Amino acid sequence: MLTSNQIRQSFLDFFREKKHTIVPSGSLMPDSPNLLFTNAGMNQFVPIFLGEKNADVSKWGGAVPGSDTRAADTQKCIRAGGKHNDLDDVGLDTYHHTFFEMLGNWSFGDYFKKEAIEWSWELIVERFKFPPNRVYATIYQPDKSLGDPSERDQEAWDLWAEKFRGAGLDPEVHIVNGNKKDNFWMMGETGPCGPCSEIHIDLTPAGDTRGALVNKGTAECIEIWNNVFIQFNANPDGTFTPLPAQHVDTGMGFERLVSIIQCTKNFTDFANAKISNYETDVFRPIFDEIEKMSGKKYTSTLPQPNAAGQVIPTTEQEKVDVAFRVIGDHIRTLSFAIADGIQPGNNDRNYVLRRILRRAVRYGRSLGFREPFFYKLTAVLARTMGDVFPEIRAKQKQVEETLKREEEAFNKTLDKGIALFEAEAARLTGTSESTKETGSTRFQRVGSGILPEPSARYSKRNLPHYERPHGIYHVTFSTKDRRSLSPAARDIVLNALTHFDRVRYDLFAAVVMPDHVHALFQPWKKSANAQGEPTFWTLAELTHSVKSFTANEINKAEGKTGTPVWEKESHDRLMRGDGEVEEKFLYICNNPRTENLVAPDEEYRWLWTWNDRKALSDAGASQDAKHDTLEACAPVSSALPTARAISGAFAFRLYDEQGFPLDLTELMARERGLTVDTSGFEKLMEEQRTRARAAQKKQVIELSEVETKEPTKFVGYDSLSTPAKVLEVVALKDRTAVVLDASAAYAEMGGQVGDSGEITHGADVWRIANTQKTGHTWLHFLESNSTDPSNSGKSSITENGEREAPGSARFQRAV
């Protein structure tokens, strides 16, 4: 079976034979000011497409000289910010990455559609041996009703048709039309553009879908190569004119190509194939090292969407496997970016890297890593990818040192931040902090049975009687004199019970029998007392609302007045453990069968379980509709929707004190079934921005111009580090210096070189290259690649890249 290195080399060799110059990958640091990172193979060739640079690629330092107007390469790409951002999906599926390689071949005013399509078929079918019957091509067919530009790309259709006919295949089946969205490429609103033609592969076991899955967003039929034919210029007035020179711009996902070849065992086994980028030798060496370091095994499990459509790992093995994929992806992103000179930091692309690194380190906790581990994986990349990208081998030590420093800085606050988050999550959901699980019991149907997942938790705190905050209760009430409820009456009762679900309580299960009712629920927060402590809906309030309303509605429907419906007493019981919750849930679900109301395999109309919530929503049972029906019910607190949201103030505290980016807090919240008040967070961020703008960096020409309200207190005789307050940040020529109210650094004087060290705030770090003094003021000069603390602490990127100043910091002298 071909290795990934052989597959990559085969692509480059093929186009070398076609007289292409094999050029090195462009840097991940893009030339374009509008890009955070190089995110596509064409980035380094944009000046040629725009006519700003001559097409003399053989003079660009290509490893293998060829034509001046033909090039091929494998381009390092990062998509983790801006328009193309795959960060949140990494680890949850088989194909999303923040770092990937894009194989490409390019024609600058040289060959065009004929050669590009012929060579695509030759490489895919004749050299790589893809089964022709599984290959589909798309061509541009404008939808004039949507204002799509230009005309149908008949030339591309004819060229593909010749290839498919030659393989005994029907081009009407294997060539699929696409509109502007799928098959017309534009660099921007204006500029070079043109139709494109993609190659898709049918990965179903039989391979007989006849193009029905092309461009349908399914993993069973995926695009692997796109040929872009740049032949027009998009004008500001919306018109398109032909370009004087026509170009070809192609891109093939390397990891995707490798996964198809290797996971089907060179196309010999589609029936048992598990197509995954992570099941290849691209990631296997990294996973081998993680397994060796952690003692855990990667087993390829994937979390499935829940009823709300969220993909959240639930089992321990799913959490382990997600962590493997995240760490395996993120080490590639960080290592190659740092090797290309992009450092983790506090601004723009630098902060994106820091966010990614902290995400990886946090996932490392799922594998038991407490000490720096991430940096050790760089050696695997240097060994396996150093021949193709020599910069990773040449810069290995620098990359490792940078990653280790970042890990150490974040580790200082990570455990404390996680502990703070878990305590807050436990307060909101009612979990025990030690369990770190959501506080609601969820159950799922499996065939005709019911299985629990995961176990319930509750906090034992004193309330009147025996009720507990976040306690789970089984409640039973019976009809007066055991009168039998009609089907319509049972509908009224079940609707009333489900009405309050996710409003006053979490309803786990409910059943309306002919003469009694069972419900299993967890009351929600109602309000707060004078001390700010939460109060909860009581069982008396909840049962009275249901019984009072349903009695009136049932009597109204049956034409009776003042006739009692329910007995006064209700039987309720606090669940004292997971076993009791499971027992009562199953009891409720089986009650219609044990009472012989339905057969064992028959559904009971008046049984409701947690998983029915989505079905009710899909059927149109909206909260608004239910409120219209239940006008007699007491008003619902407007504070309830935010009862399970991490507050903006708390998210800001995690960010400001512990270095948690907002997206990391959001990730942890999703895993607990919580949301984050991002608007509240941004409000606090804006307040910090305002404070920072009021203390802008001061421009000075000479050290003697630095004036501070108080002298720097020197503590270096007694300590290597000290808490400090940032008094001022000054720009002196091309250097930035930070003035602190206290310092442990010896300043440059009397022939002695000034100390180096670092300033930390939360998990943010600024490297100090030198320390000087003027009068009684110490100036700590930042390293050239370090941003200044007047721009620190922001967890998202603004348009101008501003970041905010910490009020306090800690200086530590290097030893």
Side-chain angles (χ1 to χ4, degrees), residues 422-706:
E422 294 297 348
E424 180 68 3
R427 186 184 71 80
L428 292 172
T429 64
T431 60
S432 164
E433 289 182 38
S434 63
T435 65
K436 298 180 174 60
E437 295 180 6
T438 57
S440 300
T441 303
R442 291 174 179 260
F443 296 84
Q444 60 181 358
R445 291 183 182 274
V446 180
S448 60
I450 305 293
L451 295 178
E453 61 159 287
S455 300
R457 305 290 175 186
Y458 62 89
S459 301
K460 294 184 177 180
R461 282 172 281 177
N462 292 325
L463 278 183
H465 191 34
Y466 61 82
E467 297 183 31
R468 301 288 190 267
H470 312 292
I472 298 175
Y473 299 91
H474 173 222
V475 174
T476 303
F477 49 92
S478 305
T479 60
K480 183 70 172 177
D481 299 326
R482 289 289 181 173
R483 63 177 278 193
S484 182
L485 297 172
S486 67
R490 279 179 263 177
D491 285 340
I492 290 171
V493 178
L494 188 61
N495 286 339
L497 288 167
T498 58
H499 164 71
F500 290 112
D501 179 43
R502 304 294 292 171
V503 177
R504 292 185 180 177
Y505 48 61
D506 276 326
L507 182 62
F508 304 143
V511 65
V512 184
M513 303 293 283
D515 61 2
H516 66 278
V517 174
H518 294 293
L520 186 68
F521 56 72
Q522 183 179 36
W524 269 29
K525 173 185 172 183
K526 178 181 179 182
S527 59
N529 60 22
Q531 290 74 40
E533 299 169 340
T535 62
F536 294 79
W537 291 98
T538 66
L539 297 185
E541 290 174 314
L542 296 175
T543 56
H544 175 75
S545 295
V546 172
K547 292 170 71 174
S548 174
F549 171 77
T550 55
N552 289 332
E553 291 298 306
I554 290 171
N555 282 334
K556 186 191 304 181
E558 296 179 355
K560 301 177 181 179
T561 303
T563 303
V565 175
W566 306 107
E567 293 285 359
K568 291 184 179 180
E569 73 276 3
S570 292
H571 303 283
D572 47 62
R573 179 178 175 183
L574 172 66
M575 299 294 97
R576 299 289 181 176
D578 300 344
E580 287 192 14
V581 173
E582 178 181 348
E583 176 189 346
K584 291 304 178 185
F585 182 90
L586 296 174
Y587 171 79
I588 290 173
C589 293
N590 290 323
N591 201 212
R593 295 170 178 80
T594 58
E595 296 290 332
N596 297 316
L597 296 179
V598 292
D601 59 348
E602 184 182 352
E603 295 289 337
Y604 182 65
R605 173 175 162 183
W606 298 281
L607 169 66
W608 188 98
T609 65
W610 182 293
N611 275 11
D612 292 321
R613 178 177 296 139
K614 183 176 185 299
L616 286 171
S617 176
D618 292 343
S622 67
Q623 291 292 341
D624 289 340
K626 286 191 283 185
H627 277 291
D628 292 341
T629 306
L630 300 170
E631 294 175 350
C633 293
V636 177
S637 169
S638 60
L640 283 173
T642 59
R644 296 192 179 218
I646 298 293
S647 70
F650 185 80
F652 184 79
R653 178 188 173 191
L654 284 182
Y655 142 75
D656 193 45
E657 296 179 4
Q658 313 304 327
F660 274 51
L662 177 61
D663 55 355
L664 180 53
T665 302
E666 289 179 303
L667 168 67
M668 295 170 64
R670 282 197 300 274
E671 293 175 348
R672 302 294 185 274
L674 301 169
T675 60
V676 178
D677 177 14
T678 55
S679 60
F681 176 89
E682 290 301 334
K683 180 180 178 182
L684 292 170
M685 287 303 309
E686 182 56 37
E687 292 175 0
Q688 192 179 72
R689 277 191 279 271
T690 301
R691 291 192 297 270
R693 284 191 288 267
Q696 288 295 319
K697 184 166 58 178
K698 182 179 180 181
Q699 300 287 329
V700 300
I701 299 175
E702 301 292 341
L703 285 180
S704 59
E705 295 182 12
V706 178

Side-chain angles (χ1 to χ4, degrees), residues 303-321:
Q304 299 303 309
N306 59 22
Q310 298 172 311
V311 181
I312 301 173
T314 55
T315 69
E316 285 305 311
Q317 190 58 52
E318 284 180 355
K319 294 174 183 177
V320 166
D321 289 345

Side-chain angles (χ1 to χ4, degrees), residues 36-37 80-81 348-357 797:
L36 285 174
F37 304 98
D348 302 311
R349 61 178 61 89
N350 310 92
Y351 190 67
V352 173
L353 291 187
R354 179 165 282 172
R355 286 168 51 202
I356 294 172
L357 184 145
I797 305 299

